[in-house]
Amino acid sequence: MSEMKYQIEQIKSIDSEELASFAILYAPLMKPLSYQFYLLMSGILESHGRIKNARFFCETLHCTPLELTTAREELERFMLIRTYQSEDQKSLIIQLRPIKRGFKFLNHEVLGRYYLMKMGSKAYQFALLCFKDPALSLEGYEDISKPFQASDMSEYSMKEESEFQVYRIQRKEKKGGFDTARFLKKCSRLIFPTDQRNKENLSVIEEMGSYYHVSIDDMITFVGKATPSKTMKFNPLKFKELVRKKYLPLQEENENEYDINPVRFLQKKQNGVMPSNADARLLENLSHQFKLKDEVINIMIEHILNQNDNRLDKNYVEKIAGTWVRNGIDSAEKAFEACRPKERKTTSKKKLERKLPEWYTQEEEDYEAASEEEIAEFKKMLEELEK
């Protein structure tokens, strides 16, 4: 029994209201070990664990394998877990079910009656007060709320209107990213296990979802296909390939040539042939890391292809991208301007003017020829110097 493996799956995380219901309503009806066992399994999932063996639970909860089995069966009876056993009887999948909130628990056909039977009428009535619907009845009341008056906006200026428009646009753009939290809530852990929901994998999913505007349902399909049931390991490369194949149809001819996804743009440049994974990753990186707009990336790519014999060299592309970022190229107009050939400024080197001696520019003077006596005297002087 101690070698039995437990694989834990949770439908949804426990919120504060469900935790209050579990402590106030469930706990008094079950053994402490069952209560602790459920919380321990939930805690393991929250800390991104998934597979444990029976020995771990027995040592943590200070119980025997038989007591652990009894606690598990009690949780099953309270509809808090569902248990599935493998054919070889060496592994269990325990699926944690949602905790019923207070009011639903007390009005449940089985649980409500069981609580009343075990805890008594006074405890039941007290529990009803604890979990009473907070909404108040408006019967007998008249709405006397004051409406918003137009005069309240009398001091509103055009400057404030401009600021509001800018802020509203920024909010709208920010909202366009992929909703990772909603995806995780909707995607079962049997499809995308807890131990695979790490920062690195979620970053890839969010980037691809935002870049290609993937729907939540399609994302669940892609992640499921990229996480084989045999290994239960998420494959980022296969996942990216699935997304690109689905979300890279050729654009309509009447669409703005540059205002499209850069990978689609490159696909058009290649006569409909899908870009390689390396080229696709390069373009995605220009968007995620360099924060360049699609139209800017497309203009830059077109320019590089024209200048570089239709080759996309990663280092060369990223070098230009870095320069554009530093130069603030953030629109199509600025990108076209950056692609225009610049006039080269010819810097003429200053000639070094050497100051020549005066004798160099002076005209030659006429000198008288030496006499034979002067020549003889000069030779005599030379002979004396050589001695």
Side-chain angles (χ1 to χ4, degrees):
M1 176 64 70
S2 61
E3 296 302 321
M4 176 74 74
K5 288 188 177 180
Y6 284 63
Q7 300 183 64
I8 308 168
E9 159 76 4
Q10 190 172 29
I11 300 299
K12 62 181 292 293
S13 299
I14 304 174
D15 59 31
S16 57
E17 189 174 344
E18 290 169 341
L19 188 60
S21 175
F22 189 54
I24 296 174
L25 302 177
Y26 284 89
L29 302 178
M30 62 177 63
K31 295 179 180 179
L33 181 60
S34 304
Y35 177 81
Q36 295 168 4
F37 187 24
Y38 186 91
L39 289 179
L40 178 58
M41 288 189 291
S42 179
I44 289 172
L45 289 174
E46 290 297 331
S47 62
H48 304 292
R50 186 165 180 263
I51 301 176
K52 301 292 180 183
N53 55 34
R55 183 187 292 110
F56 167 82
F57 289 107
C58 290
E59 293 177 353
T60 304
L61 297 172
H62 305 289
C63 65
T64 65
L66 181 59
E67 290 171 334
L68 185 67
T69 300
T70 303
R72 175 176 58 79
E73 292 173 348
E74 186 172 34
L75 291 173
E76 293 167 358
R77 288 195 297 273
F78 275 94
M79 295 169 279
L80 288 169
I81 65 171
R82 294 288 297 272
T83 305
Y84 303 87
Q85 189 175 49
S86 62
E87 293 181 359
D88 58 8
Q89 299 184 355
K90 292 183 178 180
S91 178
L92 297 178
I93 293 179
I94 298 181
Q95 191 178 72
L96 274 63
R97 310 296 296 174
I99 297 172
K100 295 190 182 301
R101 297 169 183 260
F103 202 71
K104 287 186 177 181
F105 178 97
L106 295 169
N107 285 277
H108 191 269
E109 293 293 332
V110 177
L111 297 177
R113 287 182 170 87
Y114 188 73
Y115 187 87
L116 177 62
M117 179 184 71
K118 288 293 186 180
M119 303 301 296
S121 178
K122 288 185 178 180
Y124 187 89
Q125 291 177 19
F126 175 77
L128 282 173
L129 291 174
C130 291
F131 294 100
K132 186 178 180 181
D133 191 342
L136 300 175
S137 174
L138 299 179
E139 186 177 354
Y141 286 80
E142 179 186 358
D143 187 358
I144 60 172
S145 306
K146 295 293 182 183
F148 190 86
Q149 301 293 331
S151 59
D152 295 333
M153 296 291 292
S154 60
E155 298 180 1
Y156 189 71
S157 66
M158 290 303 297
K159 179 183 177 182
E160 291 165 331
E161 172 64 16
S162 300
E163 292 175 352
F164 173 75
Q165 291 296 338
V166 172
Y167 176 73
R168 184 169 63 176
I169 292 172
Q170 290 175 345
R171 292 286 294 178
K172 184 177 180 181
E173 290 177 351
K174 185 176 180 181
K175 194 176 179 180
F178 182 71
D179 192 346
T180 308
R182 184 164 165 244
F183 160 73
L184 291 175
K185 186 175 181 181
K186 192 171 182 180
C187 182
S188 170
R189 284 184 170 84
L190 293 175
I191 295 176
F192 189 37
T194 303
D195 62 342
Q196 296 299 298
R197 302 186 180 200
N198 53 53
K199 185 177 180 180
E200 183 178 353
N201 289 342
L202 293 179
S203 177
V204 172
I205 291 171
E206 184 173 353
E207 286 181 0
M208 296 296 287
S210 300
Y211 191 71
Y212 292 102
H213 306 288
V214 183
S215 67
I216 297 294
D217 291 336
D218 281 350
M219 184 61 77
I220 293 174
T221 301
F222 295 144
V223 171
K225 289 181 178 179
T227 312
S229 56
K230 290 184 178 180
T231 62
M232 296 306 288
K233 297 291 184 183
F234 178 69
N235 187 332
L237 295 179
K238 183 178 180 181
F239 165 74
K240 289 182 178 181
E241 185 178 351
L242 291 168
V243 175
R244 291 175 189 138
K245 283 185 178 179
K246 172 71 181 291
Y247 281 84
L248 281 180
L250 278 175
Q251 295 289 303
E252 297 291 337
E253 291 299 325
N254 59 356
E255 291 187 4
N256 184 346
E257 182 181 6
Y258 297 103
D259 191 19
I260 61 175
N261 182 287
V263 183
R264 289 195 185 104
F265 179 81
L266 182 58
Q267 184 182 8
K268 290 186 68 176
K269 290 291 181 183
Q270 298 180 169
N271 299 318
V273 177
M274 286 284 292
S276 66
N277 288 335
D279 287 343
R281 285 195 299 270
L282 175 60
L283 297 179
E284 290 160 6
N285 191 45
L286 294 178
S287 175
H288 301 317
Q289 182 175 339
F290 291 89
K291 308 299 182 185
L292 293 173
K293 295 181 179 179
D294 288 350
E295 59 183 2
V296 174
I297 295 174
N298 293 334
I299 294 169
M300 180 178 66
I301 292 303
E302 184 179 61
H303 174 68
I304 292 174
L305 291 175
N306 292 336
Q307 298 293 321
N308 203 31
D309 195 23
N310 282 325
R311 288 181 287 112
L312 285 180
D313 179 71
K314 181 176 182 292
N315 293 333
Y316 182 62
V317 172
E318 291 184 344
K319 183 178 180 180
I320 293 181
T323 302
W324 282 26
V325 169
R326 291 189 292 272
N327 291 338
I329 309 298
D330 57 2
S331 67
E333 292 76 13
K334 293 180 180 178
F336 282 123
E337 181 65 27
C339 292
R340 289 196 183 101
K342 303 292 187 298
E343 294 183 3
R344 294 184 178 179
K345 297 180 180 180
T346 56
T347 56
S348 58
K349 295 183 179 179
K350 293 183 178 179
K351 294 182 178 179
L352 296 176
E353 296 182 359
R354 296 181 179 178
K355 189 174 181 180
L356 300 175
E358 293 180 0
W359 59 264
Y360 185 81
T361 57
Q362 289 178 353
E363 295 182 0
E364 293 185 1
E365 297 180 358
D366 294 332
Y367 295 97
E368 295 181 1
S371 63
E372 291 182 1
E373 294 178 357
E374 290 175 336
I375 294 172
E377 187 178 355
F378 180 72
K379 289 182 177 178
K380 185 178 179 181
M381 290 174 61
L382 290 176
E383 290 175 356
E384 289 179 356
L385 289 172
E386 291 177 353
K387 291 179 180 180

